[in-house]
Amino acid sequence: MPASQRSIFELSRNELVTWCERHGEKAFRARQIRRWLFPNRATSFEDMLELPKSLREKLTAEFSIFTGEIQQHQVATDRTEKLLLQLPDGNTVECVLMRETDRRTVCISTQVGCAMGCVFCASGMLGLKRNLTRGEILEQILRVDRLLDEDERLTNIVVMGIGEPLQNLPQLLPVLDEVTSDSGLAMSPRRVTVSTVGLPAKIKELAKLNRPFNLAVSLHAATDQLRNELVPVNDNIGVEDILAAADEYFEVTGRRITYEYVLLGGVNDQPAHAHQLADLLADRNAHVNLIPMNDVETLPFHEPAEPETQSFVAILEARGTAATVRKRKGADIDAACGQLRLKQETDSQPEA
Ligand code: SAH
């Protein structure tokens, strides 16, 4: 039977209950189905053994569990894994599994492409095509979850893949509800991090929900002059408004803000830049996550030299600003943001 193109993950818990009732099934069937879909990692409705055969058939006729197809699956020597998923409309998105001793983190995308245009980023090079649906976002998490060993569980979610998550909150928030709900993956919201280019109105909107998600703000420069060059959307926003919104997020949720700072060799990695950043964050409960640039072919930016990176961290720490350098994962695959999709898209459309 050809699989239906409608993902069951487009339905909320309540919508699934309604669907069951409309099909003459008891509401508790929805709970059973969700147990198979989430913790039990079913890959077909036929797997859902305690459901009556007629219900399994109805589900199969109407829904797919996954609507995307795994177009590429890369595994790095550090066991980082990356999936390139092809969506029903032919677009592709990436998601990544990162393993550390005590955590297994999935990194997900929220859009096909990105409209922000950060000059060092592979994801925005082909512009924004569209938002992902809730089912397409959830599919990434659950596909990655199904890569784990039977006794392994996902511990963290970072919304740091392709796209600007705060531009797609209507689809992202229901997904975060699902993964943190007891009838979903029952993950702690404290282990979810949403990374944003810094959209003040949206940061405030997220703060109002008062859920203890972590917020990571991609700052990359402490002055508007430099930030305008690196993050073009900053032109209409400005560092000051972003920090004010992030402060509000911290005040409401009590979650310490992470500031991401991609170190671009010779561009924003000098001692003066570190001092500017320390000035900016001086009275704030913040953490700086320094990310050495992942080189992207055709882009004129490069990884910083090791001594520059070390002195950048040392200056921040001496000035009382907590900072860490992000460990590189999956260095021998195209695990960095948007690179695999970019490669695939540019290979298949040489004119792009
Ligand atoms: N749009 C969101 C989330 C996606 S990118 C945001 O801007 O935060 C996640 C992080 O990776 C961001 O901090 C982004 O600036 C950074 N990034 C993008 N391209 C990179 C590259 N080539 N090397 C290192 N970090 C990069």
Side-chain angles (χ1 to χ4, degrees):
M1 193 186 314
S4 153
Q5 285 301 298
R6 184 166 185 225
S7 164
I8 192 151
F9 295 115
E10 300 296 345
L11 269 59
S12 68
R13 205 182 79 79
N14 287 339
E15 286 164 344
L16 187 59
V17 169
T18 309
W19 185 90
C20 286
E21 287 168 349
R22 262 200 295 125
H23 288 77
E25 303 284 348
K26 296 263 165 37
F28 76 89
R29 294 294 182 196
R31 204 166 56 233
Q32 289 181 325
I33 295 168
R34 284 172 62 89
R35 200 156 53 227
W36 278 105
L37 291 173
F38 288 93
N40 291 0
R41 298 171 173 161
T43 52
S44 88
F45 295 110
E46 287 309 311
D47 293 349
M48 303 185 174
L49 292 177
E50 78 264 56
L51 303 183
K53 189 153 189 291
S54 61
L55 175 55
R56 282 183 270 151
E57 283 171 359
K58 279 184 238 171
L59 287 164
T60 307
E62 193 150 339
F63 301 109
S64 294
I65 292 188
F66 294 133
T67 54
E69 266 177 40
I70 299 181
Q71 201 173 57
Q72 284 190 50
H73 178 187
Q74 299 184 331
V75 184
T77 45
D78 65 4
R79 298 186 72 215
T80 296
E81 300 188 42
K82 181 159 199 164
L83 297 178
L84 184 70
L85 288 181
Q86 181 166 46
L87 307 172
D89 66 356
N91 280 309
T92 52
V93 282
E94 299 175 20
C95 48
V96 183
L97 165 66
M98 292 165 285
R99 287 181 159 101
E100 279 160 283
T101 345
D102 54 349
R103 28 168 115 180
R104 284 149 309 276
T105 303
V106 56
C107 176
I108 54 168
S109 301
T110 51
Q111 298 182 310
V112 179
C114 184
M116 299 298 105
C118 301
V119 296
F120 47 84
C121 179
S123 299
M125 287 172 70
L126 304 172
L128 172 67
K129 286 212 175 143
R130 67 172 174 86
N131 281 328
L132 295 179
T133 66
R134 58 178 284 159
E136 290 166 337
I137 299 172
L138 201 46
E139 171 159 347
Q140 298 171 60
I141 298 172
L142 298 176
R143 286 261 192 201
V144 165
D145 186 55
R146 282 157 173 76
L147 297 176
L148 296 172
D149 295 341
E150 207 175 323
D151 58 347
E152 286 182 312
R153 290 281 172 258
L154 283 177
T155 59
N156 294 69
I157 296 181
V158 295
V159 190
M160 291 189 181
I162 298 172
E164 170 48 44
L166 298 196
Q167 279 201 324
N168 193 14
L169 281 177
Q171 300 296 322
L172 175 62
L173 289 175
V175 172
L176 299 183
D177 278 347
E178 291 283 22
V179 292
T180 55
S181 111
D182 283 342
S183 74
L185 288 182
M187 292 177 70
S188 164
R190 293 184 152 71
R191 292 192 166 239
V192 172
T193 301
V194 178
S195 176
T196 176
V197 73
L199 306 175
K202 297 286 173 187
I203 292 174
K204 292 180 188 173
E205 191 182 323
L206 195 60
K208 282 209 183 74
L209 300 176
N210 194 11
R211 303 217 51 208
F213 301 133
N214 303 300
L215 183 70
V217 176
S218 295
L219 203 55
H220 312 319
T223 63
D224 281 324
Q225 197 192 4
L226 182 55
R227 197 168 192 269
N228 289 345
E229 283 174 33
L230 303 178
V231 182
V233 294
N234 189 65
D235 234 349
N236 307 316
I237 301 173
V239 169
E240 198 182 324
D241 282 3
I242 295 173
L243 289 188
D247 289 346
E248 191 172 318
Y249 190 89
F250 173 67
E251 277 155 30
V252 174
T253 64
R255 305 299 288 160
R256 182 175 73 164
I257 305 294
T258 295
Y259 289 94
E260 293 165 284
Y261 192 104
V262 174
L263 287 169
L264 309 167
V267 175
N268 65 352
D269 65 341
Q270 298 302 299
H273 298 122
H275 283 291
Q276 289 166 351
L277 186 58
D279 288 342
L280 197 64
L281 300 180
D283 298 315
R284 293 184 156 93
N285 186 351
H287 181 263
V288 175
N289 197 193
L290 297 164
I291 317 171
M293 162 84 185
N294 272 305
D295 286 14
V296 178
E297 249 176 88
T298 77
L299 288 183
F301 297 98
H302 301 287
E303 193 180 3
E306 186 60 26
E308 256 75 19
T309 306
Q310 289 317 317
S311 68
F312 205 99
V313 181
I315 291 169
L316 290 180
E317 285 184 340
R319 302 267 321 260
T321 299
T324 45
V325 180
R326 185 177 293 175
K327 267 183 282 167
R328 252 189 112 181
K329 307 286 288 174
D332 54 337
I333 59 174
D334 300 299
C337 209
Q339 300 208 16
L340 189 54
R341 169 173 177 266
L342 181 68
K343 210 184 248 180
Q344 194 267 338
E345 296 272 310
T346 44
D347 285 353
S348 60
Q349 309 163 350
E351 76 279 12

